[in-house]
Amino acid sequence: TWKGHDGLEGEGALLRPVDDVPGRRYPLLVVAHGGPAGAYVNGFRLGGLEGGQVWAGRGWAVFYPNPRGSTNYGEHTLQANVTDWGGGDYRDIMTGIDALVARGVADPDRLAHIGWSYGGYMTAWMITQTTRFKAAMVGAGLTNMWSMYGTNDIPSVLISYFGGIPNATTLPLYLERSAMSHIDKVTTPTLTLHGANDERVPTGQAYELYRGLKDRNIPTELVFYPREGHGIQEPNHVIALVGRQLAWFDRHLGIKL
């Protein structure tokens, strides 16, 4: 647990590296969950997005924050990021990282951020708001909330979080809280991964981010996984996804994994 920017207590899970040595600082992988009404619990993470145990076995600490908007903490916390994506939730994650740095766990010069779906949104948002991360991975991320509304299969979700359909009143919020509106601020090398058949977060979201980074000469790669929807399911794809992330962060953080 840690104290957030406004005094609200934050909570998350910390996976320590294998052979953890007290007092030694480690590279920190921050993994934002999906939803946004998801939550991390104290479980064994091997497969899926990041294969956290793989990272721990290679000398990383892995941080799984539950910012405001997460489930399991009551209705007030669940609704605390309505009309505030990229606001309090962003600051909750950042103060969590600050707490791990203050406790001597995380090396402030070796921070990385990843996420899938809403976690991908949060990662794309992070790289437009801070230069603290040495590398990032945006997985099936929402990058332009206006175009996302018009092309995804559940527009009602954005309507409920952004105060209604995009119109003269609500559109400023859709635009302001879109990573693409702040793309000029990015300096972080960013890998983008996406299912080729994703209808929940259409592939256009990935193309927009990739083009925005490429045009600004930010180190970037874009990879689509054939036949995959909003999640990555085929075993060979899961293996490839984890391996590509390991290679990306090895390259840009200078860490031999």
Side-chain angles (χ1 to χ4, degrees):
T1 60
W2 66 93
K3 179 177 284 190
H5 67 282
D6 55 0
L8 186 70
E9 185 176 77
E11 185 176 79
L14 174 65
L15 176 60
R16 291 182 174 274
V18 173
D19 300 325
D20 181 23
V21 176
R24 178 182 296 175
R25 293 184 182 273
Y26 293 93
L28 184 72
L29 180 70
V30 183
V31 189
H33 66 60
Y40 286 120
V41 296
N42 189 18
F44 186 82
R45 295 187 63 82
L46 181 60
L49 166 64
E50 85 298 336
Q53 299 292 339
V54 176
W55 294 81
R58 293 171 177 253
W60 287 70
V62 188
F63 178 39
Y64 300 100
N66 287 332
R68 64 196 66 199
S70 301
T71 193
N72 292 347
Y73 298 94
E75 193 70 16
H76 177 75
T77 300
L78 184 66
Q79 295 192 19
N81 66 341
V82 172
T83 68
D84 193 37
W85 280 31
D89 46 8
Y90 162 77
R91 291 186 289 272
D92 286 344
I93 295 175
M94 296 299 284
T95 53
I97 296 169
D98 291 339
L100 291 176
V101 171
R103 295 174 192 179
V105 175
D107 182 342
D109 295 322
R110 295 186 293 172
L111 303 176
H113 200 290
I114 68 174
W116 201 269
S117 192
Y118 166 78
Y121 163 83
M122 188 54 66
T123 305
W125 180 255
M126 286 278 182
I127 62 175
T128 69
Q129 303 301 305
T130 179
T131 59
R132 290 180 70 179
F133 300 104
K134 300 302 182 185
M137 188 286 292
V138 175
L142 298 74
T143 62
N144 183 333
M145 308 312 286
W146 189 11
S147 60
M148 173 69 183
Y149 162 80
T151 56
N152 85 103
D153 65 345
I154 50 169
S156 60
V157 172
L158 293 187
I159 292 171
S160 65
Y161 276 107
F162 282 79
I165 63 172
N167 56 36
T169 300
T170 63
L171 187 56
L173 182 63
Y174 277 84
L175 295 176
E176 168 60 26
R177 299 305 173 90
S178 295
M180 294 308 301
S181 296
H182 308 277
I183 196 69
D184 284 334
K185 302 175 185 177
V186 179
T187 61
T188 304
T190 301
L191 173 66
T192 302
L193 307 178
H194 215 105
N197 295 336
D198 195 346
E199 296 180 352
R200 184 59 38 89
V201 178
T203 56
Q205 297 294 301
Y207 280 119
E208 289 191 47
L209 180 62
Y210 175 74
R211 176 48 53 198
L213 296 174
K214 193 74 172 177
D215 285 349
R216 290 161 178 80
N217 298 314
I218 304 301
T220 187
E221 291 181 3
L222 172 61
V223 179
F224 290 112
Y225 292 90
R227 301 177 299 279
E228 300 285 12
H230 191 49
I232 304 301
Q233 303 294 330
E234 295 185 24
N236 286 342
H237 288 165
V238 173
I239 294 170
L241 180 144
V242 173
R244 186 175 292 274
Q245 291 179 89
L246 291 171
W248 183 258
F249 291 110
D250 179 20
R251 185 189 319 167
H252 292 289
L253 273 77
I255 299 171
K256 187 62 177 178
L257 297 177

